[in-house]
Coordinates of all heavy atoms in Angstrom, one line a residue:
F1 N 12.9 -10.3 -7.7 CA 11.7 -9.6 -7.2 C 12.1 -8.2 -6.7 O 11.4 -7.6 -5.8 CB 11.1 -10.4 -6.0 CG 10.5 -11.7 -6.5 CD1 11.2 -12.9 -6.5 CD2 9.2 -11.6 -7.1 CE1 10.6 -14.0 -7.0 CE2 8.6 -12.8 -7.6 CZ 9.3 -14.0 -7.5
D2 N 13.1 -7.5 -7.3 CA 13.3 -6.1 -7.1 C 12.1 -5.4 -7.4 O 11.5 -5.6 -8.5 CB 14.5 -5.6 -7.8 CG 15.8 -6.2 -7.4 OD1 15.8 -6.9 -6.4 OD2 16.9 -5.9 -8.0
N3 N 11.7 -4.4 -6.6 CA 10.4 -3.7 -6.8 C 10.3 -2.4 -6.3 O 11.2 -2.0 -5.5 CB 9.2 -4.6 -6.2 CG 9.3 -4.6 -4.7 OD1 8.9 -3.6 -4.1 ND2 9.8 -5.7 -4.1
Y4 N 9.3 -1.6 -6.8 CA 9.0 -0.4 -6.1 C 7.5 -0.4 -5.9 O 6.7 -1.0 -6.7 CB 9.5 0.9 -6.9 CG 8.8 1.1 -8.2 CD1 7.6 1.8 -8.3 CD2 9.4 0.6 -9.4 CE1 7.0 2.0 -9.5 CE2 8.8 0.7 -10.6 CZ 7.6 1.5 -10.7 OH 7.0 1.6 -11.9
T5 N 7.0 0.3 -4.9 CA 5.6 0.4 -4.6 C 5.2 1.9 -4.4 O 5.9 2.6 -3.7 CB 5.3 -0.4 -3.3 OG1 5.7 -1.7 -3.5 CG2 3.8 -0.3 -3.0
I6 N 4.1 2.3 -5.0 CA 3.5 3.6 -4.7 C 2.2 3.3 -4.0 O 1.4 2.4 -4.4 CB 3.2 4.3 -6.0 CG1 4.5 4.5 -6.8 CG2 2.5 5.6 -5.8 CD1 4.4 5.0 -8.2
R7 N 1.9 4.0 -2.9 CA 0.7 3.7 -2.1 C 0.1 5.0 -1.6 O 0.8 6.0 -1.3 CB 1.0 2.7 -1.0 CG 2.1 3.2 0.0 CD 2.5 2.0 0.9 NE 3.9 2.4 1.4 CZ 4.1 3.2 2.4 NH1 3.1 3.8 2.9 NH2 5.3 3.5 2.7
G8 N -1.2 4.9 -1.3 CA -2.0 6.0 -0.7 C -2.9 5.4 0.3 O -3.5 4.3 0.1
E9 N -3.1 6.1 1.4 CA -3.9 5.5 2.5 C -4.6 6.6 3.3 O -4.0 7.7 3.5 CB -3.0 4.7 3.5 CG -3.7 4.2 4.7 CD -2.8 3.5 5.6 OE1 -2.1 4.2 6.4 OE2 -2.7 2.2 5.5
L10 N -5.9 6.4 3.6 CA -6.6 7.3 4.5 C -6.8 6.5 5.8 O -7.1 5.4 5.9 CB -8.0 7.6 4.0 CG -8.1 8.7 3.0 CD1 -9.6 8.8 2.5 CD2 -7.7 10.0 3.7
M11 N -6.4 7.2 6.9 CA -6.6 6.6 8.2 C -7.4 7.5 9.2 O -7.1 8.7 9.3 CB -5.2 6.4 8.9 CG -5.3 5.8 10.3 SD -3.7 5.5 11.1 CE -3.2 7.2 11.5
Y12 N -8.4 7.0 9.7 CA -9.2 7.7 10.8 C -8.9 7.0 12.1 O -9.1 5.8 12.2 CB -10.7 7.6 10.4 CG -11.6 8.4 11.4 CD1 -11.5 9.8 11.4 CD2 -12.4 7.7 12.3 CE1 -12.3 10.5 12.3 CE2 -13.2 8.4 13.2 CZ -13.1 9.8 13.2 OH -13.9 10.5 14.1
R13 N -8.4 7.8 13.1 CA -8.0 7.2 14.3 C -8.7 7.9 15.5 O -8.7 9.1 15.6 CB -6.5 7.3 14.5 CG -6.1 6.7 15.8 CD -4.6 6.7 15.9 NE -4.2 5.7 16.9 CZ -3.1 5.2 17.1 NH1 -2.1 5.5 16.3 NH2 -2.8 4.4 18.1
K14 N -9.3 7.1 16.3 CA -9.9 7.6 17.6 C -9.1 6.9 18.7 O -9.3 5.7 18.9 CB -11.4 7.2 17.7 CG -12.3 8.1 16.9 CD -12.0 9.5 17.1 CE -13.2 10.2 17.7 NZ -12.9 11.7 17.8
P15 N -8.1 7.6 19.3 CA -7.3 7.0 20.3 C -8.1 6.3 21.4 O -9.0 6.7 21.9 CB -6.5 8.2 20.9 CG -6.5 9.2 19.8 CD -7.8 9.0 19.2
G16 N -7.6 5.0 21.7 CA -8.3 4.2 22.7 C -9.4 3.4 22.2 O -10.0 2.5 22.8
L17 N -9.9 3.7 21.0 CA -11.1 3.0 20.4 C -10.7 2.2 19.2 O -10.8 1.0 19.2 CB -12.2 4.1 20.0 CG -13.5 3.5 19.5 CD1 -14.1 2.6 20.5 CD2 -14.4 4.7 19.1
A18 N -10.3 2.9 18.1 CA -10.0 2.1 16.9 C -9.3 2.9 15.9 O -9.2 4.1 15.9 CB -11.3 1.6 16.3
D19 N -8.7 2.1 14.9 CA -8.1 2.7 13.7 C -8.8 2.1 12.5 O -9.1 0.9 12.5 CB -6.6 2.2 13.6 CG -5.6 3.1 14.3 OD1 -6.0 4.1 14.9 OD2 -4.4 2.7 14.3
W20 N -9.2 3.0 11.6 CA -9.8 2.5 10.3 C -8.9 3.0 9.2 O -8.6 4.2 9.1 CB -11.2 3.1 10.1 CG -12.2 2.6 11.1 CD1 -12.9 1.5 11.0 CD2 -12.6 3.2 12.3 NE1 -13.8 1.4 12.1 CE2 -13.6 2.4 12.9 CE3 -12.2 4.4 13.0 CZ2 -14.2 2.8 14.1 CZ3 -12.8 4.7 14.2 CH2 -13.8 3.9 14.8
R21 N -8.5 2.1 8.4 CA -7.5 2.4 7.3 C -8.1 1.9 5.9 O -8.5 0.7 5.9 CB -6.2 1.8 7.5 CG -5.5 2.4 8.7 CD -4.2 1.6 8.9 NE -3.5 2.1 10.2 CZ -2.3 2.5 10.2 NH1 -1.6 2.6 9.2 NH2 -1.8 2.9 11.4
F22 N -8.0 2.7 4.9 CA -8.4 2.3 3.6 C -7.3 2.8 2.7 O -6.9 3.9 2.7 CB -9.7 3.0 3.2 CG -10.1 2.7 1.7 CD1 -10.6 1.5 1.4 CD2 -9.9 3.7 0.8 CE1 -10.9 1.2 0.0 CE2 -10.2 3.4 -0.6 CZ -10.7 2.2 -0.9
G23 N -6.8 1.8 1.8 CA -5.6 2.2 1.0 C -5.6 1.5 -0.3 O -6.3 0.5 -0.5
I24 N -4.8 2.0 -1.2 CA -4.5 1.3 -2.4 C -2.9 1.3 -2.6 O -2.3 2.2 -2.1 CB -5.1 2.0 -3.6 CG1 -4.7 3.5 -3.7 CG2 -6.6 1.9 -3.6 CD1 -5.1 4.2 -5.0
R25 N -2.4 0.3 -3.3 CA -1.0 0.3 -3.6 C -0.8 -0.4 -5.0 O -1.5 -1.2 -5.4 CB -0.2 -0.3 -2.5 CG -0.5 -1.8 -2.2 CD 0.5 -2.3 -1.2 NE 0.0 -1.8 0.1 CZ 0.5 -2.3 1.3 NH1 1.4 -3.2 1.3 NH2 0.1 -1.8 2.4
H26 N 0.3 0.1 -5.6 CA 0.7 -0.4 -6.9 C 2.1 -0.9 -6.8 O 3.0 0.0 -6.4 CB 0.5 0.6 -8.0 CG 1.1 0.1 -9.3 ND1 0.4 -0.8 -10.1 CD2 2.3 0.4 -9.9 CE1 1.1 -1.0 -11.2 NE2 2.3 -0.3 -11.1
T27 N 2.4 -2.1 -7.0 CA 3.8 -2.7 -6.9 C 4.2 -3.1 -8.3 O 3.5 -3.8 -9.0 CB 3.9 -3.9 -5.9 OG1 3.4 -3.4 -4.7 CG2 5.3 -4.4 -5.8
E28 N 5.4 -2.7 -8.7 CA 6.0 -3.0 -10.0 C 7.3 -3.8 -9.8 O 8.2 -3.3 -9.1 CB 6.3 -1.7 -10.8 CG 6.8 -1.9 -12.1 CD 5.7 -2.1 -13.1 OE1 4.6 -1.6 -12.9 OE2 6.0 -2.8 -14.1
Y29 N 7.3 -5.1 -10.3 CA 8.5 -5.9 -10.2 C 9.2 -5.7 -11.5 O 8.8 -6.3 -12.5 CB 8.1 -7.4 -10.0 CG 7.4 -7.6 -8.7 CD1 6.0 -7.7 -8.7 CD2 8.1 -7.8 -7.5 CE1 5.4 -7.9 -7.4 CE2 7.5 -8.0 -6.3 CZ 6.1 -8.0 -6.3 OH 5.5 -8.2 -5.1
F30 N 10.3 -4.9 -11.5 CA 10.8 -4.5 -12.8 C 11.8 -5.5 -13.4 O 12.0 -5.5 -14.6 CB 11.5 -3.1 -12.7 CG 12.4 -2.9 -11.6 CD1 13.7 -3.3 -11.6 CD2 11.9 -2.3 -10.4 CE1 14.5 -3.0 -10.5 CE2 12.7 -2.0 -9.3 CZ 14.0 -2.4 -9.4
N31 N 12.3 -6.5 -12.7 CA 13.2 -7.5 -13.4 C 12.4 -8.7 -14.0 O 12.9 -9.4 -14.8 CB 14.2 -8.0 -12.3 CG 15.2 -7.0 -12.0 OD1 15.5 -6.1 -12.9 ND2 15.9 -7.1 -10.9
I32 N 11.2 -8.8 -13.6 CA 10.4 -10.0 -14.1 C 9.1 -9.4 -14.9 O 8.3 -10.1 -15.3 CB 9.9 -10.9 -13.1 CG1 9.1 -10.3 -12.0 CG2 11.0 -11.7 -12.5 CD1 8.4 -11.2 -11.0
D33 N 9.1 -8.0 -15.1 CA 8.1 -7.4 -15.9 C 6.7 -7.8 -15.4 O 5.9 -8.4 -16.2 CB 8.3 -7.7 -17.4 CG 7.4 -6.8 -18.2 OD1 7.1 -5.7 -17.8 OD2 7.0 -7.2 -19.3
D34 N 6.4 -7.6 -14.1 CA 5.1 -7.9 -13.6 C 4.7 -6.8 -12.6 O 5.5 -6.0 -12.1 CB 5.2 -9.3 -12.8 CG 3.8 -9.9 -12.7 OD1 2.8 -9.3 -13.2 OD2 3.7 -11.0 -12.1
E35 N 3.4 -6.8 -12.3 CA 2.9 -5.7 -11.4 C 1.7 -6.3 -10.7 O 1.0 -7.3 -11.1 CB 2.5 -4.5 -12.2 CG 1.4 -4.7 -13.2 CD 1.2 -3.4 -14.0 OE1 2.2 -2.9 -14.6 OE2 0.0 -3.1 -14.2
I36 N 1.3 -5.6 -9.5 CA 0.1 -6.0 -8.8 C -0.5 -4.8 -8.2 O 0.3 -3.9 -7.7 CB 0.5 -7.1 -7.7 CG1 -0.8 -7.5 -7.0 CG2 1.5 -6.5 -6.7 CD1 -0.6 -8.8 -6.2

């Protein structure tokens, strides 16, 4: 399960109130030729 991941995320933060995060990621398992 050796892998690498590339990810991007947007975070809007109001201290003391909330964090909102939206993101995408791509993971490649190169020894078993699979991805997610």
Side-chain angles (χ1 to χ4, degrees):
F1 292 97
D2 290 357
N3 68 78
Y4 67 87
T5 300
I6 300 169
R7 57 192 160 77
E9 177 182 83
L10 274 176
M11 178 181 73
Y12 183 70
R13 181 174 196 166
K14 286 307 245 181
L17 181 61
D19 274 357
W20 293 275
R21 297 175 186 234
F22 174 76
I24 58 171
R25 64 177 74 170
H26 173 79
T27 301
E28 184 83 30
Y29 297 97
F30 45 86
N31 287 335
I32 58 173
D33 193 28
D34 200 4
E35 61 187 50
I36 185 169

